[in-house]
Amino acid sequence: MRSLTRSDGRPPKWLNGLRRKANALCALLYVAGLIYLACIVWPSFNDRTYFSENALLPGLVDDEFVHRERTNTFAKQLREVVQTRYGKEYGMPHDWLLEQLESIGLEAYAQNFTAFLPGISGAVEGTNIFAVMRAARAPSVESIVVAVPFRSNTLGSIGLALSLASFCREQIYWSKDLIFVFTEHETIGMQAWLSAYHRLPISSLKADPLAAHGGAIQAALALEATDGSTPFSNVDIRYNMINGQLPNLDLVNLLVKMTEKEALVPTLYMQEDPHGQDLYTEKGYWKLAKTSFKGIVAQAFSRADSGLHSVFGAYGVQAVTISPYGKGRTKSQGGWVDIGRLLEGGLRSVNNLLEKFHQSFFFYFLPSTHRYVSIGVFMPAIGLLMGPVLIKALCVWLDLNDEGESSADGDAKAKKETKSESALAVLPLITKSESALAVLPLIVIAHSCGALLYFLPYLLFNAQASISTNDQQLFQAIATIAITLPICPWIIQRNLADKDFGVPSMVVLRVVALLELALIVGVTAVLNFGIAVLVAIFVAPISTITIPFRSKIGWALNSMALVLLHPLVACCVALGVYTALTVPVPPTPSWLAQRAFEQTVDVTVGFIRDSLVYQSHLYAFFTLALFPIWMMFWTIVHHRSE
Amino acid sequence: MKRQRSEVKRIEKTEKTDGNEPLFVRSMDVASAAVVVQVCYLFNPFGIASCIAMTTSVFHNFLIAAALVAFQSGRPYVSASVLALVSMLGLYPAVLMVPIALHYATAGGNSKTPFDWTAFCSSIAVFCSVWAGALYMIVTLSGSWQFLQSTYLFFVLVPDLTPTVGVFWYFFTEVFDHFRLFFLWVFQLNIFIFVIPLALTLRRSPMMLFHILLILIAVFKPYPSVGDAVVYMALLPIWRHLYLYIRHSFLAACTMAVFAVLAPVMWKLWIQDGSANANFYFAITLAYCTAQIFLLTDLLYAELRHRIHMTHGIRVIDESGTEAKIALS
């Protein structure tokens, strides 16, 4: 390991240079990280999308779906049934769907489920309807899922799915089963179906076992057109799943290609691509940047509301949602039949697969439908943004143990009598191990506070008991605890003698907090790049300057900055800024504050519900991972030394 | 500890005590070492994880610790017998017999005492006979030699390539069949071949040899687990007097912490989500092995450097009167 130390055990020369220029280097790396993020969206630095899986053969076949009348009939009949039976309430007509699916010739089944959610009184009950079309050419070892949610405005999509099912039943080339799923309560129903299909029970979701299975699911396509009038002009392709997972890029590219084949415009987050000649201009760049930003935010705070595809990720299934919208110009294209042909093309391509999707990227973000930024290109941004944190941790550690280290040439300086001599110019040793261990209680307390905050909703609101609660009560409980917990370090520090908590122990705590922050952000960057990069941008600079300041002004500024970083406060502020930017009329501050607060309540309770039903880890990330680190920084800033 | 105390006495005779205090083993360290080692063992996250997973590494660790206790309290044949039991279970702890036999061949003396071949051979003989006796008992109880296929031949031939925290599985998934035997020999020889130079260097420090061999076994076993790392990590506090010369503690500790968090994440991404692949998991496992090797070389370096300073004092002045730089060649 010659490069890490010199042969006589002294630190390498570059380390001394690093320590001298640490602050400048940290600032430089952070700014470089921000510039890097801005640069990778520019088309010269990323690549055009391509198909990695040869077996897909996208768009090679002639699409044969022409059943316009059948689609319209199904949709009209469905509307009539819903209207006559449920009126304005839009209940799901389970028996009618079962009857139609059986008349098409598929095996149709129903599945009941019950969901217990905190903040919602009573249980959410529903029934999914699903039909299996067995493959003619293969044993039922693999399957493709077509999922449509039942909502008041998806009646047209259900009509299309039914006529597509009848079309597919007549073909002989299917080598995988097709499973058509119509869910009630949208993603809750989808999650219930999936957990029963894979036999992985979820505690807050009681799902009946399925009467039929279809083999390993290779891909899932969800259709969710709102019943705007056809013709459609655009198709929104949604691919963000829970916990920041993304489907294989091949599947997204496949649907983009199918959309373009039907002369429709594919969009991401309702943003169209820049036109061909605009790609390398400033106007094009802002479009790309906007789509990328929306992509990162969508991946970071991925809830289940973007479509039925979002819950498939936990089961290792690649899934995408198609959402046609917009006002088409000509009557002859953009109708339901074209969407049906789009789906048929996609299904036939996936039908060709020999292995499950593995060739293309799983970690990427898309500035446009034809450009992608892969993990190799965006991960250095995290390295550059977190570099300051790591360098600071290293420098603080070296300074802590530096008491015997003389300068690089070995000239003698004035030393205290208990310190070691210059010949011991070796790398670190904690001379005061007692004070180093004294920070352990603080670390344990910080993490216990995070654990308390995490388990609080489950302790207060037992999933099986039907305690009627509402969002407000739940949020109040959490907010109270989250805001009063920071008092703990004060109490602890007042009760312990200051000589036990001398400055070295705060410095050790700082090293631990910085390293833990770098570790958490680094690990999250692999799992969910969106949230990692957002946290890195805001937390990295604050954490490097958090030290126990002596001066009053420094202490006040540091405190304010940290308060802004408190997860709840940061959430509130971010939502306030977002609302202010997106609302058309300039709002009054009081209205804005109220809106931001309401949204914070929604978001927090939403995270808790997501963690119960969809096993989303966002709530755990904020309470178990980020909150303890914040508590440690808070302790450092508010340390009273004599 | 006994050996360190004897070395301390040697330095005091040479009258070079000024400023040499950090080199010596402090009595308060000896007293507190027992408690610190215990705490490090009980609260080690890898140990807790092994207990939650209900693995048998608990028994392996117990027997190794028992062998160590017998070794240090001057009972050569007891430690050889207990070590025979561990080796019967796991095969690779057999290399730990080398430091035990060396200790009883050079019992407590300095470099002038002659090597006692009788003690060396008798402790190895006890080890072999207890192992043979245990094997005989197994043969009579199970009635045949079939068990060899499932135990020792399993370790040696590595038929199962389930991913572990070791280095074998990834390599053997891609090796061609006609080279398999060759690479099996190379990989298995890895553990045993390093024992020879280490034993020659550390023949007067058998405790350090024991510790280093524990790390070596944990890295190069065919089917290691994180439970193997718990014993040597717990034993680190006994080298308090060597902390001065440890160079990569920060790096190794950070790598271990990153491994502890990132390995389950990579595993989940690969096996459950299907997003990552084997390379992600193997990369972090390789980082873990590298951290262990850093620890091993650090301990070795610290021990050798400590020896030099024990004979020449904490500041080494050479003939011209300037301070000498000590380099590892």
Side-chain angles (χ1 to χ4, degrees), chain B residues 11 42 73 87 123 125 129 132 139 172 186 189 199 229 236 276 299 307:
Chain B
I11 289 299
L42 290 174
S73 52
S87 309
S123 41
S129 52
V139 172
F172 280 97
V186 170
L189 218 52
L236 287 173
L299 280 176
R307 277 193 203 167

Side-chain angles (χ1 to χ4, degrees), chain B residues 35 50 52 62 71 84 104 133 136 178 192 204 215 252 257 268 293:
Chain B
V35 176
S50 302
I52 295 174
F62 168 68
F71 166 37
Y104 293 107
Y136 175 71
H178 42 278
F192 300 104
R204 303 295 168 181
I215 306 180
K268 172 192 175 285
I293 296 293

Side-chain angles (χ1 to χ4, degrees), chain B:
Chain B
M1 295 300 139
K2 218 163 87 173
R3 184 158 296 262
Q4 300 303 335
R5 278 193 221 113
S6 66
E7 297 222 359
V8 164
K9 287 201 194 85
R10 183 158 50 91
I11 289 299
E12 283 171 356
K13 286 200 196 105
T14 58
E15 292 169 3
K16 285 189 183 160
T17 52
D18 303 333
N20 283 345
E21 283 83 18
L23 285 179
F24 304 144
V25 176
R26 300 184 294 182
S27 55
M28 64 185 244
D29 283 337
V30 173
S32 69
V35 176
V36 178
V37 165
Q38 210 170 23
V39 167
C40 285
Y41 184 84
L42 290 174
F43 288 102
N44 195 334
F46 293 154
I48 297 176
S50 302
C51 284
I52 295 174
M54 296 195 269
T55 63
T56 53
S57 54
V58 178
F59 299 110
H60 284 239
N61 293 347
F62 168 68
L63 287 173
I64 289 179
L68 185 60
V69 165
F71 166 37
Q72 282 298 325
S73 52
R75 297 190 173 86
Y77 302 127
V78 174
S79 72
S81 321
V82 177
L83 202 63
L85 288 178
V86 193
S87 309
M88 183 193 76
L89 287 177
L91 182 63
Y92 295 96
V95 298
L96 295 171
M97 198 53 218
V98 173
I100 294 180
L102 278 177
H103 179 71
Y104 293 107
T106 64
N110 52 19
S111 38
K112 296 291 190 295
T113 44
F115 193 79
D116 188 0
W117 282 102
T118 335
F120 187 81
C121 294
S122 65
S123 41
I124 292 191
V126 168
F127 171 75
C128 293
S129 52
V130 174
W131 194 350
L135 279 182
Y136 175 71
M137 194 174 68
I138 295 176
V139 172
T140 35
L141 281 176
S142 67
S144 70
W145 290 89
Q146 288 282 1
F147 74 97
L148 279 183
Q149 187 81 17
S150 319
T151 52
Y152 300 123
L153 284 184
F154 186 81
F155 289 127
V156 168
L157 294 178
V158 189
D160 185 306
L161 296 177
T162 310
T164 59
V165 295
V167 293
F168 274 66
W169 63 276
Y170 189 80
F171 191 84
F172 280 97
T173 52
E174 53 192 26
V175 81
F176 292 121
D177 274 340
H178 42 278
F179 289 128
R180 193 164 206 275
L181 191 59
F182 167 69
F183 282 111
L184 265 178
W185 268 96
V186 170
F187 272 68
Q188 297 286 359
L189 218 52
N190 239 338
I191 304 188
F192 300 104
I193 205 82
F194 287 132
V195 178
I196 301 173
L198 281 172
L200 289 173
T201 315
L202 295 171
R203 61 184 181 274
R204 303 295 168 181
S205 320
M207 183 60 211
M208 176 56 84
L209 183 61
F210 192 95
H211 199 175
I212 287 186
L213 287 178
L214 279 175
I215 306 180
L216 202 68
I217 294 170
V219 176
F220 289 113
K221 265 171 77 158
Y223 298 101
S225 70
V226 292
D228 296 330
V230 181
V231 180
Y232 74 74
M233 277 197 216
L235 284 176
L236 287 173
I238 66 176
W239 306 115
R240 183 73 174 76
H241 58 286
L242 294 179
Y243 280 4
L244 219 53
Y245 304 111
I246 302 261
R247 298 175 296 172
H248 300 125
S249 59
F250 190 59
L251 187 64
C254 288
T255 312
M256 292 274 194
V258 171
F259 163 78
V261 178
L262 213 48
V265 167
M266 295 303 191
W267 176 268
K268 172 192 175 285
L269 278 177
W270 173 27
I271 300 288
Q272 187 181 335
D273 292 346
S275 315
N277 51 40
N279 299 321
F280 288 64
Y281 180 73
F282 186 61
I284 193 64
T285 306
L286 214 52
Y288 172 62
C289 292
T290 310
Q292 291 177 309
I293 296 293
F294 268 120
L295 193 59
L296 196 160
T297 51
D298 260 354
L299 280 176
L300 193 58
Y301 175 86
E303 169 72 24
L304 295 176
R305 179 104 185 232
H306 186 259
R307 277 193 203 167
I308 294 177
H309 286 294
M310 284 295 261
T311 47
H312 297 101
I314 211 161
R315 306 185 64 181
V316 183
I317 314 282
D318 63 8
E319 301 86 36
S320 56
T322 54
E323 200 170 327
K325 287 190 187 172
I326 302 175
L328 185 67
S329 59

Side-chain angles (χ1 to χ4, degrees), chain A residues 151 153-154 156-157 160 222-238 259 262-274 287 290-291 294 306 321-330 333-336 338-340 342 369:
Chain A
R151 242 190 355 240
N153 53 9
T154 57
S157 317
L160 174 63
L223 176 63
E224 208 169 300
T226 56
D227 252 351
S229 52
T230 59
F232 300 112
S233 61
N234 297 7
V235 173
D236 198 36
I237 297 176
R238 307 201 188 127
T259 310
E262 301 304 322
L264 295 169
V265 179
T267 64
L268 298 173
Y269 312 105
M270 309 282 205
Q271 310 281 321
E272 286 187 16
D273 292 354
K287 273 197 176 182
K290 192 169 177 194
T291 312
K294 283 190 172 236
S306 57
T321 292
I322 310 288
S323 183
Y325 70 100
K327 213 148 185 44
R329 267 171 303 180
T330 60
Q333 68 193 34
W336 285 113
D338 294 304
I339 307 295
L342 193 165
T369 54

Side-chain angles (χ1 to χ4, degrees), chain A residues 282-321:
Chain A
E282 191 187 326
K283 196 170 90 155
Y285 176 79
W286 287 116
K287 273 197 176 182
L288 294 172
K290 192 169 177 194
T291 312
S292 306
F293 179 69
K294 283 190 172 236
I296 295 223
V297 170
Q299 190 187 4
F301 301 104
S302 38
R303 313 272 311 275
D305 49 6
S306 57
L308 286 187
H309 69 288
S310 22
V311 292
F312 279 86
Y315 301 93
V317 177
Q318 319 302 325
V320 177
T321 292

